[in-house]
Amino acid sequence: METITIPQADNKEMTSSERAPSILNLFACKCPRCRKGDMFQDKNPWHLKNTMKMNKECPVCEQPLDIEVGFYFGSSYVSYAFTVAFSVFTFVAWWFTIGFSLYDDRIIYWLAVNAFLLVAAQPYFMRVARTGWLAFFVRYDKNWCTKPPQPLERTNKDQENNW
C-alpha cells in the first residue's frame, strides 16, 4: 500500500493510511473542520467567567468560528436536545435503580437530583451545543492542511457584539 504524506500545520506529517479524527472529538469541543484545534479559549467549561469565550478562528486550521452575527442562537436547539436526552437517561437510570411509586416522593427526589445535575452540566452542554451547531455547517475536511477555509459570506463587523 502506498502512503502519501500530508504536511500538518504543527510540522507533523499524517499518512493517508491514518484514520481521520473521530467525530467524538466534537464532545471535546474541537474544531469540526480539522477536529484538532480548540474552539474555546479556556479548556475548562466550569471557569464561568470564560465559559463561552471562543477563539476567533481555529488555532490549527484557521477556520473562522464566528460565521455570522447571531449564528450561535441556533445552538439552543442542540442544547435543548442534550438536556432532554440527559433527563431521559437519568429518569431511566433512576427507574431501574431506585424506582418510582405513587405512594411516596421518589419522583420529587428524581426531579431535584435531575435539576441539580442539569444546572451543574449546563456549561459543558452549552459548549458542546455550539460545537455541534457549527458542525452542521462546517464539515470535516481531510485536506484541511492544504486547503484554506472558505471565506465568510455574511459578516458585519459593526454588528458583531450587538446581541
Side-chain angles (χ1 to χ4, degrees):
M1 179 176 168
E2 178 183 338
T3 59
I4 302 168
T5 58
I6 302 170
Q8 297 279 324
D10 54 359
N11 294 331
K12 292 182 184 176
E13 293 191 355
M14 182 174 86
T15 62
S16 63
S17 61
E18 290 182 27
R19 294 182 346 165
S22 170
I23 190 77
L24 296 177
N25 281 1
L26 297 178
F27 286 103
C29 299
K30 300 291 185 183
C31 168
R33 182 169 178 259
C34 66
R35 295 186 184 160
K36 293 179 185 287
D38 291 321
M39 284 184 56
F40 295 90
Q41 293 174 1
D42 188 355
K43 289 188 181 202
N44 188 345
W46 288 277
H47 290 160
L48 297 181
K49 287 187 177 183
N50 301 322
T51 295
M52 299 310 288
K53 289 187 180 175
M54 296 179 65
N55 294 318
K56 292 282 184 192
E57 60 185 27
C58 174
V60 176
C61 69
E62 299 176 352
Q63 167 67 39
L65 299 177
D66 193 11
I67 294 180
E68 64 184 45
V69 176
F71 174 73
Y72 288 106
F73 283 131
S75 68
S76 61
Y77 297 109
V78 179
S79 181
Y80 178 74
F82 281 140
T83 57
V84 168
F86 183 78
S87 294
V88 167
F89 173 77
T90 61
F91 183 84
V92 170
W94 190 279
W95 188 358
F96 284 119
T97 57
I98 296 172
F100 292 104
S101 174
L102 296 174
Y103 305 108
D104 59 14
D105 294 333
R106 283 185 263 183
I107 195 159
I108 302 298
Y109 297 137
W110 169 76
L111 284 170
V113 168
N114 188 55
F116 174 78
L117 291 174
L118 282 173
V119 169
Q122 196 58 37
Y124 176 71
F125 284 159
M126 289 188 321
R127 281 186 169 200
V128 173
R130 279 193 173 198
T131 306
W133 186 250
L134 184 62
F136 283 133
F137 299 97
V138 177
R139 300 286 181 209
Y140 175 70
D141 184 5
K142 64 181 176 183
N143 299 321
W144 62 267
C145 55
T146 57
K147 265 183 14 186
Q150 293 182 357
L152 298 177
E153 296 174 4
R154 298 171 27 177
T155 57
N156 187 344
K157 292 293 180 190
D158 297 334
Q159 301 294 322
E160 190 173 57
N161 294 317
N162 286 345
W163 53 279

